[in-house]
Amino acid sequence: MSAAWDHVRDVLRAEFGDAAFKSWLAPIELESISGSKAVISAPTRFMRDWVARHYLDRILELFRDGDGDIKSVDLKVRGTARGATPAVDQAAPSADRAGPSALAPVRARPGAKAQAGARANHDDVSAPLDPRFTFDNFIVGKSNEFAYAAARRVAEAPNGPFNPLFLYGGVGLGKTHLMHAIAWHIRKADPTRRVIYLSAEKFMYQFIRALRFQDTMAFKEQYRSVDVLMIDDVQFISGRQTTQEEFFHTFNALVDQNRQVIISADKSPSDLEGMEERLRSRLGWGLVADIHQTDYELRLSILQSKAEKLGSAVPSKVLEFLAHKITANVRELEGALNRVVAHATLVGRDISLEATQDVLHDLLRANDRRVTIEEIQKRVAEHFNVRVADMHSARRARAVARPRQVAMYLAKQLTSRSLPEIGRKFGGRDHTTVMHAVRKIEELRAGDSSFSEDVDLLRRMLES
Ligand code: ADP
Ligand code: MG
């Protein structure tokens, strides 16, 4: 009887990958096949709804591949006969949260889209959570330890003292990851809690739609009955007066009722431009935690952990190289590693430093360009023991003019700035002065190998 089911599982694992399979599909069990109907079960209602929404149509197709007689698949919550109250659902506080048909199995039939989501009302507004974004998968370093600790505390004791929790930091540094991790943690500890996670953009979109359909009451209700509300990238509602207003009221209502609110943004509350003052200050009332740029050690640990998860032998030389070179953010770092691994798999060769440089040449160039002229000036001034101000000053003494020329030369080499732009950054000098400096340094390098090594050293320092 289970040959068809084995087939379904094998294909699902191949199609969706190990991580998604483990999280969502492995816990699904076959209950029975009778006549044209297969019945499968999930351990919790939440899981049933998720699987119904994302995988059930595919499961039916695969069943039919394996056993042509099967015409429909029912997905139920384990241990429930239709209508009976299952153990997992007894914890549900009241029927109004679950809805009357929450326990009925979800059926996939050919041509009929699974309707499960409509029954788990938090799923209507909540965006899906990425199964990889858990606390376990989050690597902690100096730059994010505070935000991590704050997120963990809130996950373990929502409705606690840190309300709202405001997470902020640059792009790709793990804000969304931490929010999903909180949501996973809370939902796992208590599946009956309504946790809503969504982007500020989606919040705005839904609000505007509610306005258009004159359905703002329902909109308000939806949000005001949640236990935990998470809004990601709140900078996107800056400048939107009516949405901000609504957000503000929702926010106040929730915090006043001691419901947990978690917000993320790319800036601190006080730096959010286009936000109303009272909203800005309200956002900062709870705990504000920032995520800083990563350092080398953290980047390396993240790479090691990801390489291990990919199950791929990446030489430590390559990981170190990537940690040095891809400094912008973790998303880019992950992307780079994935590309290197994918390439090696496709061409069937081991991963080497050369291949890595080759595969990533565009990305590496873009990262190199991120060295700023200010950094160059600072490093060069330190190196030659002159003041940074001398990079801009009119002094022509050799002791400051030479380092200044070196800095101009490196600015030309390491950034994508034009000669006039570089000139402007060096106390408003003319582009011909920069050109002259570049030629001069090239000349000196050709004739003086120790000077040349000195410049190379600076260059390597700036590039790393
Ligand atoms: P943000 O929301 O701040 O722009 P994300 O949370 O989307 O950034 O993170 C971008 C990617 O980097 C995600 O794939 C995330 O899993 C990963 N990531 C970020 N920080 C870490 C970390 N400390 N450990 C592991 N993965 C991380
Ligand atoms: Mg994000």
Side-chain angles (χ1 to χ4, degrees):
M1 138 174 149
S2 64
W5 179 234
D6 287 343
H7 166 73
V8 173
R9 289 165 54 95
D10 289 346
V11 180
L12 288 174
R13 186 197 291 271
E15 282 181 353
F16 294 99
D18 270 346
F21 183 84
K22 269 206 198 107
S23 306
W24 299 112
L25 299 162
I28 304 297
E29 286 173 7
L30 178 65
E31 298 276 330
S32 63
I33 295 180
S34 62
S36 65
K37 189 169 91 175
V39 179
I40 57 178
S41 67
T44 63
R45 198 172 74 216
F46 175 70
M47 219 162 210
R48 180 208 58 185
D49 290 337
W50 182 280
V51 170
R53 179 178 272 199
H54 295 274
Y55 303 107
L56 194 54
D57 287 341
R58 186 67 187 136
I59 291 175
L60 173 62
E61 271 170 31
L62 293 172
F63 255 124
R64 287 154 56 91
D65 283 353
D67 177 347
D69 291 339
I70 294 177
K71 299 282 187 290
S72 70
V73 176
D74 279 5
L75 172 55
K76 60 171 204 162
V77 182
R78 196 124 64 229
T80 62
R82 194 184 297 242
T85 308
V88 287
D89 276 309
Q90 271 165 357
S94 62
D96 61 13
R97 285 206 183 157
S101 54
L103 305 181
V106 178
R107 177 167 300 178
R109 273 190 227 92
K113 274 258 164 230
Q115 285 292 314
R119 297 196 184 103
N121 39 14
H122 58 147
D123 255 11
D124 284 348
V125 279
S126 189
L129 299 175
D130 191 318
R132 294 165 307 167
F133 289 2
T134 59
F135 284 125
D136 283 347
N137 286 342
F138 192 82
I139 311 291
V140 185
K142 268 208 261 350
S143 57
N144 60 24
E145 62 186 358
F146 181 57
Y148 171 81
R152 267 226 99 103
R153 273 297 291 277
V154 165
E156 276 151 18
N159 314 356
F162 303 137
N163 204 9
L165 172 63
F166 190 101
L167 295 169
Y168 77 94
V171 123
L173 295 180
K175 301 182 294 293
T176 300
H177 188 136
L178 281 178
M179 291 178 109
H180 285 207
I182 297 172
W184 283 126
H185 190 100
I186 296 175
R187 281 185 180 172
K188 194 163 162 223
D190 182 356
T192 65
R193 296 184 78 103
R194 289 195 68 205
V195 180
I196 290 186
Y197 162 88
L198 79 169
S199 66
E201 264 174 319
K202 194 163 173 211
F203 179 88
M204 190 167 80
Y205 168 78
Q206 288 181 344
F207 176 61
I208 291 168
R209 215 177 52 163
L211 281 180
R212 184 173 312 142
F213 293 107
Q214 305 189 334
D215 198 15
T216 49
M217 275 308 285
F219 175 84
K220 288 185 166 79
E221 278 318 301
Q222 209 166 40
Y223 287 102
R224 292 183 189 181
S225 61
V226 306
D227 294 304
V228 182
L229 175 66
M230 309 194 182
I231 307 234
D232 205 353
D233 288 320
V234 85
Q235 70 272 9
F236 286 124
I237 58 171
S238 64
R240 313 275 180 156
Q241 278 308 322
T242 40
T243 315
Q244 271 188 44
E245 189 74 17
E246 183 48 39
F247 176 61
F248 185 68
H249 290 309
T250 306
F251 179 91
N252 278 335
L254 289 172
V255 174
D256 288 347
Q257 292 169 53
N258 204 23
R259 310 289 173 82
Q260 182 72 48
V261 178
I262 302 161
I263 307 284
S264 87
D266 63 351
K267 297 187 197 64
S268 75
S270 52
D271 288 339
L272 281 172
E273 286 153 28
M275 258 314 158
E276 247 192 283
E277 178 51 37
R278 61 181 178 146
L279 180 52
R280 262 195 283 173
S281 83
R282 191 76 173 81
L283 287 174
W285 272 13
L287 182 66
V288 177
D290 57 342
I291 307 183
H292 302 277
Q293 290 295 329
T294 55
D295 56 21
Y296 173 77
E297 277 72 34
L298 177 59
R299 290 197 293 275
L300 190 60
S301 324
I302 291 174
L303 285 169
Q304 282 161 344
S305 139
K306 307 257 163 180
E308 203 173 295
K309 291 222 171 67
L310 288 170
S312 144
V314 186
S316 50
K317 239 183 14 214
V318 169
L319 297 181
E320 285 157 19
F321 174 78
L322 292 175
H324 263 301
K325 288 290 188 178
I326 317 284
T327 55
N329 64 55
V330 183
R331 187 173 299 136
E332 219 167 71
L333 197 63
E334 274 187 337
L337 180 66
N338 286 338
R339 264 167 72 183
V340 170
V341 171
H343 181 264
T345 313
L346 282 174
V347 301
R349 259 187 256 133
D350 286 345
I351 297 168
S352 67
L353 199 52
E354 291 68 41
T356 302
Q357 279 166 317
D358 216 36
V359 174
L360 299 178
H361 70 276
D362 51 335
L363 188 63
L364 293 170
R365 252 209 338 261
N367 267 274
D368 281 347
R369 265 195 240 107
R370 292 208 181 94
V371 182
T372 64
I373 293 183
E374 286 75 13
E375 274 165 47
I376 294 173
Q377 292 174 329
K378 188 165 156 279
R379 279 296 178 104
V380 173
E382 268 165 26
H383 183 78
F384 290 102
N385 204 15
V386 298
R387 294 175 309 144
V388 178
D390 282 330
M391 292 287 151
H392 315 274
S393 77
R395 289 177 62 201
R396 283 157 172 262
R398 163 87 60 90
V400 297
R402 189 71 82 226
R404 193 187 294 134
Q405 286 176 326
V406 170
M408 288 185 199
Y409 167 84
L410 289 171
K412 181 72 195 122
Q413 300 277 312
L414 301 180
T415 74
S416 56
R417 298 310 181 94
S418 65
L419 294 174
E421 281 175 306
I422 296 173
R424 272 198 293 281
K425 296 265 188 179
F426 284 84
R429 287 180 157 77
D430 194 72
H431 76 276
T432 55
T433 309
V434 182
M435 210 154 66
H436 174 73
V438 172
R439 290 222 187 95
K440 182 74 200 170
I441 298 303
E442 277 167 356
E443 224 176 273
L444 286 170
R445 289 191 60 164
D448 181 345
S449 64
S450 80
F451 175 72
S452 189
E453 274 168 26
D454 225 27
V455 175
D456 274 338
L457 179 73
L458 268 167
R459 183 200 174 111
R460 271 201 304 278
M461 252 159 48
L462 283 159
E463 277 178 338
S464 67

